[in-house]
Amino acid sequence: MARAVAASSSAARGRSVARSRFWNRIAILALAAGVLAVGVPLFFAGSAGRLADGTKIAGIDVGGLTQTGARRLLEQRSERLADVPVSFVAGGRTFPITPRAMGVEVDWRSAVSTAARQGGGFGVVRGYRRLELQFFPQDLAPPIHSYGAALDYELGLLSNAVDTPHREAALVRRGLHITIAPEKTGRVLDRAAARNLLVQSLASFSRAPVALPVRVDAPQVTVASLTATQRRASRIISGPVTLVAGQSRLPLPRWELAKLLDLSTMRIVGPAADAFFARLERTVDRPAKDATFAVSNGAISVVPSKPGVTLDVPRSVGAVLAAAERPVNRVATLVLADQQPARTTADARAMGITGTVSSYETFYGGEPNRIHNVELVSHLVDNKLIAPGATFSFNGTTGERSAEKGFLEAPVIVNGELQTGLGGGVCQVSTTVFNAAYEAGLRITARTNHSLYISHYPLGRDATVNYPDVDLKFVNDTGHWLLLRTWVGPSSLTVALYGTPQHRRIESTTAPLTVDSPPPVQKTVDATLKPGQVVVDDPGMPAQSTSVERKVYAPNGKLLSDETWYSSYRSMPKIVRVGPKEKKKSTPKTTTTTTTTTTTTTAATPH
C-alpha cells in the first residue's frame, strides 16, 4: 500500500515538471515571435524621408529616392519624351503622335505622394508596409490629363484613315443579265478604346509601336441571302409585258422593264419609273372637262361638262410587277379611275348665268406694243367668274404685269408725265372693265382716275391701275354668279358681264370739265428765232376736274345706290420757244486830234 502511494506521488511530480517545461517553451517561442514581429519590420522600415525599395511609378523604379528626387526624375524623363512620338499602328499604316500635340500631362506630384503614403507611416507600421512591398511590389499609374478637343480631332483623322466600311452584297444589272456583287468585310476603329489607349500610351515612357483597337465591320447581306432575290429579278425581266388600257394594248419591252425595276427594293420605283408612268398617263388619261359658257350672237349658254378617266398609278404599278413575275400570261391590265369634272353641267346651270348684265366698248390705237399689251391683259381677265358677294380685283386677277408674262414697253403716264414703260395700254382694259361694272350698277369699291385727262375715254369715267397699290375693284351684289368676258377687235375692246339680268336702271349726271388752273409755261430761248418771235411747241393742258354721279334703280323704281366719283387731272406745261432779246445799239467811238508845237495826243470817248 505504501509502495503504491509512493509510485502515485512520483508520477504526479513527473507530470508537473512536464507542464512546467511546456509553458517555458511557449514563453520562449512567444518572446521570439515578439522579437521577430517588432524587429523584422523595424529592419525593413528604412528612412521615413525616402520612398520604399521596390516602389515603381509608370514602370520606373523610384525606391530609395526622396519625394523631390523621384518627382524630378519622372518630370525630366517625361519632358524629354514630350516631343518624341509614339507610333500607333492599324491597317498596315503607322500614325506618329506626340504627347505635347495631344496636351497629355502627367500629375507626377500626385503619383509620388501616393507612393509615399503606401510605404510610409511610423516605425513598425512603415516596416510592415515596406515588407509587404518586398513581396508584392506595385507599379503606380499616375493621374493623366489631356486636351479633349485635340483628341477628338485626332481620333477623327484616325477613323478616316483606318475605317473601311463593309460592303453589302447587292444585285447588279449588266444589260439584261442580273448578277450578285459579293459582300466585303470592313474594319472600324473602336474610338472609345482608342481614346483611352492613346492617352495611356502617350503618358508612358515607352516608345514601342502600339496597335490601335480595330473591330470587324461585318456585312449583313451576303451572296447566299440574295440568291433567291436574284432568281426573282431575272424572272421579272425575262420577257416583255403587255399593258392593257381599255381597248388599247401597249408593249413594255424587256429592256425598259429592266430600267424600271429597282434592284435594291425589288419594286418599280425611281426616276425612270416616274418618267415612264408620266408618259403613260399622257397616253391613257382623258381629263374631265368642266362645264363652260359659250356666247353666240349675244346669247349665253352652258357647254356641258364631260367626265374623264385617269391612270391610277400606284395600283397600275402593282399590276405591272405582278404580271412581270409570271413566267406566262405576262399581261397587266392598267387600273383606270373615273375623273369627275370640278364644275358639272348642273353646277353651271345653278350659277344663274343666263343673259347679259352689261357690256361696254372702248376704242384704241397707237403703236403695236400698246395694242399687244391690251390683248395680253384682256386675255388675263377673260372668263373670270365672280361669285355672289365676291369682290373682283383687277390686280388680283392679272397679277404683276411683267416682262416674264410677255408685257412690252409702250407709252404710259407716270406722275403726270407721258413716258415709256412696261405694260402701257393696260389702263385701256381697266377703264373698259370699270365702265362695264358702272353700267351694270355694281358697287365699285376702288377706282382711281388718270393723272392726266384723256379725251377718248368717257368724261370722268376713266380708271387707271398700277400693280400692286392702285387697283380697280367692284362687288358682285347681284345675288348670282357673274362671268366677265372680253373681245379684242382690230380697233376696239369690248367687256361684257353675264349673269342673271338685273334690269337695273342707271342715271348718270356728269359735271362739265372745269379748268382749275392754267398750264404752267416752260419758256426757253432759241437763238435761231428772231428777237420777239414766239413759237408754241406744245399748248400744254390746264389742271382740270370733273365729277360723275350715278344713281342705280331697281326695276320697281327703288333707289339702290347713289354714288359720285370725283376726278382731278394734273396740268401739263405749255412749251414755248422765244427769240433772243434785241441787242442795244452801242455808241460809235470818236477820235479827236490836237496838234501843238510840242506834242500830239489821241483820246477815245467813253461808252
Side-chain angles (χ1 to χ4, degrees):
M1 182 71 175
R3 201 178 304 126
V5 171
S8 175
S9 175
S10 177
R13 283 195 301 271
R15 286 194 297 271
S16 176
V17 171
R19 283 195 299 271
S20 177
R21 289 177 180 171
F22 171 77
W23 288 111
N24 287 338
R25 290 185 186 127
I26 291 298
I28 293 170
L29 289 173
L31 179 61
V35 171
L36 288 173
V38 175
V40 172
L42 288 175
F43 177 78
F44 286 97
S47 173
R50 294 183 178 276
L51 299 178
D53 290 340
T55 300
K56 289 185 177 181
I57 299 177
I60 303 300
D61 187 356
V62 292
L65 298 177
T66 63
Q67 291 189 44
T68 301
R71 187 172 66 251
R72 185 181 299 114
L73 171 66
L74 294 169
E75 289 175 347
Q76 289 175 349
R77 294 192 64 171
S78 181
E79 180 61 28
R80 286 198 299 271
L81 294 174
D83 294 310
V84 178
V86 176
S87 296
F88 295 91
V89 181
R93 296 183 60 182
T94 300
F95 307 94
I97 305 172
T98 64
R100 200 183 303 279
M102 296 296 103
V104 174
E105 295 180 354
V106 182
D107 190 351
W108 298 114
R109 179 182 295 274
S110 176
V112 170
S113 297
T114 301
R117 286 195 301 274
Q118 288 183 350
F122 295 98
V124 176
V125 175
R126 185 172 67 252
Y128 272 116
R129 289 175 175 174
R130 296 190 176 190
L131 179 61
E132 181 182 4
L133 290 173
Q134 292 293 322
F135 291 100
F136 306 103
Q138 294 183 9
D139 190 354
L140 293 176
I144 305 170
H145 306 286
S146 61
Y147 182 39
L151 276 172
D152 290 338
Y153 178 75
E154 189 65 34
L155 286 168
L157 296 179
L158 291 174
S159 294
N160 292 338
V162 172
D163 289 0
T164 304
H166 72 268
R167 184 183 66 202
E168 306 284 3
L171 296 180
V172 178
R173 181 174 63 84
R174 294 182 174 86
L176 294 176
H177 183 61
I178 296 175
T179 60
I180 303 176
E183 73 276 9
K184 183 178 180 181
T185 301
R187 65 170 182 268
V188 178
L189 179 69
D190 187 337
R191 293 186 61 154
R195 170 185 284 272
N196 183 61
L197 181 63
L198 256 66
V199 172
Q200 296 298 327
S201 300
L202 292 173
S204 73
F205 294 116
S206 172
R207 286 301 179 263
V210 178
L212 289 169
V214 176
R215 55 183 173 82
V216 174
D217 185 20
Q220 302 297 314
V221 182
T222 63
V223 171
S225 67
L226 282 181
T227 302
T229 306
Q230 186 265 344
R231 287 196 296 266
R232 181 188 172 204
S234 298
R235 182 170 64 251
I236 289 173
I237 66 170
S238 61
V241 171
T242 301
L243 308 180
V244 177
Q247 301 300 316
S248 302
R249 297 175 70 87
L250 307 170
L252 176 56
R254 287 183 64 195
W255 63 267
E256 188 158 26
L257 187 58
K259 288 171 56 179
L260 305 184
L261 181 63
D262 179 51
L263 296 177
S264 63
T265 61
M266 291 302 294
R267 296 167 56 199
I268 296 179
V269 293
D274 293 342
F276 173 79
F277 280 94
R279 293 195 303 271
L280 196 59
E281 283 182 297
R282 291 192 290 272
T283 302
V284 173
D285 285 2
R286 287 189 290 107
K289 293 184 178 180
D290 292 346
T292 57
F293 299 90
V295 177
S296 178
N297 297 322
I300 189 164
S301 60
V302 174
V303 179
S305 62
K306 291 183 179 180
V309 293
T310 183
L311 181 67
D312 187 330
V313 174
R315 295 171 65 188
S316 296
V317 168
V320 172
L321 186 59
E325 293 198 71
R326 293 193 292 266
V328 295
N329 190 28
R330 296 167 65 88
V331 177
T333 301
L334 300 178
V335 182
L336 303 178
D338 292 334
Q339 185 185 53
Q340 297 302 321
R343 182 171 58 248
T344 65
T345 303
D347 293 336
R349 287 173 178 162
M351 295 170 73
I353 301 176
T354 58
T356 303
V357 176
S358 70
S359 67
Y360 203 84
E361 181 182 25
T362 59
F363 296 88
Y364 59 81
E367 61 179 41
N369 282 8
R370 186 180 188 280
I371 298 173
H372 167 85
N373 291 336
V374 169
E375 293 175 345
L376 180 57
V377 78
S378 294
H379 292 150
L380 290 177
V381 300
D382 189 29
N383 276 313
K384 173 66 176 177
L385 284 164
I386 309 165
T391 296
F392 170 86
S393 166
F394 192 92
N395 284 339
T397 303
T398 66
E400 183 178 4
R401 276 76 73 179
S402 62
E404 289 75 16
K405 289 185 177 179
F407 285 92
L408 304 176
E409 290 195 349
V412 294
I413 299 173
V414 179
N415 295 326
E417 295 183 1
L418 192 61
Q419 301 179 9
T420 299
L422 196 65
V426 171
C427 293
Q428 173 92 35
V429 183
S430 60
T431 293
T432 311
V433 171
F434 167 78
N435 279 279
Y438 182 98
E439 294 296 336
L442 301 176
R443 184 161 58 90
I444 298 168
T445 56
R447 172 263 176 187
T448 304
N449 61 274
H450 289 79
S451 56
L452 297 179
Y453 172 65
I454 302 174
S455 60
H456 60 263
Y457 290 148
L459 181 60
R461 287 168 56 174
D462 57 315
T464 186
V465 289
N466 183 44
Y467 189 88
D469 49 345
V470 180
D471 201 1
L472 167 66
K473 295 180 180 181
F474 63 82
V475 178
N476 176 10
D477 58 2
T478 67
H480 302 277
W481 284 80
L482 288 175
L483 172 65
L484 190 153
R485 293 297 315 273
T486 63
W487 288 273
V488 181
S491 60
S492 67
L493 167 67
T494 300
V495 173
L497 290 168
Y498 294 95
T500 299
Q502 301 297 296
H503 304 294
R504 293 175 177 176
R505 182 166 56 87
I506 309 300
E507 289 186 1
S508 295
T509 303
T510 304
L513 185 65
T514 59
V515 174
D516 297 330
S517 62
V521 178
Q522 290 185 358
K523 186 184 296 185
T524 58
V525 177
D526 187 347
T528 63
L529 300 178
K530 296 178 180 180
Q533 185 179 358
V534 177
V535 176
V536 178
D537 292 325
D538 190 330
M541 184 181 297
Q544 303 172 90
S545 62
T546 186
S547 64
V548 175
E549 181 185 15
R550 183 193 68 173
K551 293 181 179 181
V552 180
Y553 294 92
N556 61 5
K558 179 183 177 182
L559 179 64
L560 299 178
S561 65
D562 184 354
E563 297 176 278
T564 301
W565 288 274
Y566 297 92
S567 301
S568 296
Y569 303 104
R570 295 184 184 182
S571 62
M572 289 185 67
K574 179 179 180 179
I575 308 299
V576 176
R577 288 182 292 123
V578 298
K581 292 181 179 181
E582 185 176 0
K583 294 182 179 180
K584 294 181 179 180
K585 293 182 180 181
S586 58
T587 303
K589 295 181 180 180
T590 58
T591 302
T592 303
T593 302
T594 303
T595 304
T596 64
T597 57
T598 57
T599 60
T600 302
T601 302
T602 303
T605 58
H607 288 286

